[in-house]
Amino acid sequence: MESYAPTPHLRRLPLDERVITALDLPDAESAVALAASLGRQGRFVKVGMELFTASGPEIVERLRKAEREIFLDLKYKDIPNTVAGAVSSACRLGVSMITLHADGGRRMLEAAVEAAARSTTPDLPRPALLAVTVLTSLSQDDADEAAPGGGPISERIVRLARIARDSGCDGVVCSPKDLPALRREVGNDLLAVTPGVRPAGAAGDDQRRVATPAEAIRNGADFLVVGRPITRAADPAQAIQAISRELTNT
Ligand code: C5P
């Protein structure tokens, strides 16, 4: 089967287009207005469960019409057949990246990769499939309580990243703090998308394993997902520009 690999396009972007603004907003109107205000550095936007649940798939079409590329962060985790169906539907929306939980297991990830390959056409390139390792909001204690015996978070992440790579996923989502171990143990082939990014001095909110934008890039991140430091700023365009400047000065 011919494959239209998504990763060359995503790997060639300039550093100041690698911030993904998380549009964690309750309705389509505010999301489209915010996305439109961001300028060139706002090329990528995240549509996550809050916005997608409120607005449905039409929000993807509206944001694409506004020339935004979409990181569809619905973190699929279910039986392989169900996830394969969801991935096919997401591919038809024309998004650039899709997330799945790595701990859904190897067979689920493989089913997703096959579904994405089947849904691809020359007009509709295959989105990058990104496996979420351990949520950046989880501390070691949180992780131990939810899944006892899984070992240190850094080891869990490396283990899950290997499964993602071996299943044919294009990348992983993890904390910037966890990237050095991941790059060392699993290599540089996987795209790394890192939430848990906070400019120096900004509030951590509910995130637990955070780093600054510069630190994330130095640790090997390809894309940064940043939400509240941009969406709740008095001037979101200025906030994303400041973060992008920090990246290009790294
Ligand atoms: O507002 P904040 O910058 O904390 O938003 C981070 C975004 O990244 C949220 O949309 C969240 O869902 C997402 N995310 C995360 N941790 C992961 C995967 C995604 O924080 N492991």
Side-chain angles (χ1 to χ4, degrees):
M1 186 178 310
E2 195 164 359
S3 157
Y4 301 89
T7 42
H9 147 66
L10 296 176
R11 283 176 202 274
R12 279 197 302 262
L13 294 165
L15 272 176
D16 65 350
E17 291 182 9
R18 288 167 181 254
V19 175
I20 303 172
T21 305
L23 299 175
D24 292 324
L25 298 164
D27 63 89
E29 296 317 315
S30 23
V32 171
L34 188 92
S37 76
L38 292 177
R40 184 175 66 82
Q41 284 92 355
R43 170 182 185 142
F44 284 92
V45 291
K46 165 185 151 162
V47 174
M49 49 180 89
E50 179 179 5
L51 183 59
F52 194 85
T53 305
S55 327
E58 298 77 35
I59 184 65
V60 172
E61 204 181 323
R62 288 185 65 182
L63 290 166
R64 286 188 66 210
K65 277 198 184 124
E67 295 184 356
R68 304 292 135 174
E69 289 200 42
I70 315 298
F71 170 67
L72 188 65
D73 188 20
L74 298 178
K75 297 190 180 69
Y76 297 130
K77 180 178 174 183
D78 208 314
I79 62 170
N81 184 58
T82 303
V83 168
V87 167
S88 298
S89 299
C91 289
R92 287 194 291 274
L93 293 176
V95 300
S96 298
M97 307 181 207
I98 299 176
T99 53
L100 318 127
H101 272 291
D103 66 359
R106 188 181 296 267
R107 281 190 299 113
M108 185 201 87
L109 297 174
E110 286 172 353
V113 169
E114 278 167 28
R118 269 198 312 275
S119 309
T120 295
T121 67
D123 302 335
L124 210 52
R126 184 171 74 75
L129 296 190
L130 306 172
V132 177
T133 54
V134 177
L135 294 172
T136 47
S137 54
L138 295 182
S139 65
Q140 183 66 49
D141 286 346
D142 297 329
D144 287 341
E145 186 184 24
I153 285 184
S154 57
E155 285 176 18
R156 297 179 194 217
I157 286 170
V158 167
R159 204 162 55 227
L160 290 166
R162 283 206 183 102
I163 299 174
R165 181 196 59 193
D166 297 346
S167 309
C169 288
D170 303 286
V172 288
V173 182
C174 68
S175 159
K177 295 278 186 208
D178 304 316
L179 263 177
L182 188 144
R183 289 300 191 204
R184 208 173 42 244
E185 303 284 330
V186 194
N188 291 323
D189 289 348
L190 290 170
L191 275 175
V193 177
T194 62
V197 175
R198 288 290 179 272
D205 303 310
D206 52 352
Q207 298 285 11
R208 291 293 172 270
R209 305 195 318 281
V210 299
T212 64
E215 199 183 344
I217 290 290
R218 273 198 304 271
N219 284 359
D222 295 293
F223 287 90
L224 315 183
V225 185
V226 183
R228 289 160 288 184
I230 297 173
T231 56
R232 297 199 184 160
D235 183 343
Q238 200 184 44
I240 194 171
Q241 272 164 28
I243 295 171
S244 302
R245 245 194 327 272
E246 187 175 329
L247 299 187
T248 44
N249 293 335
T250 302

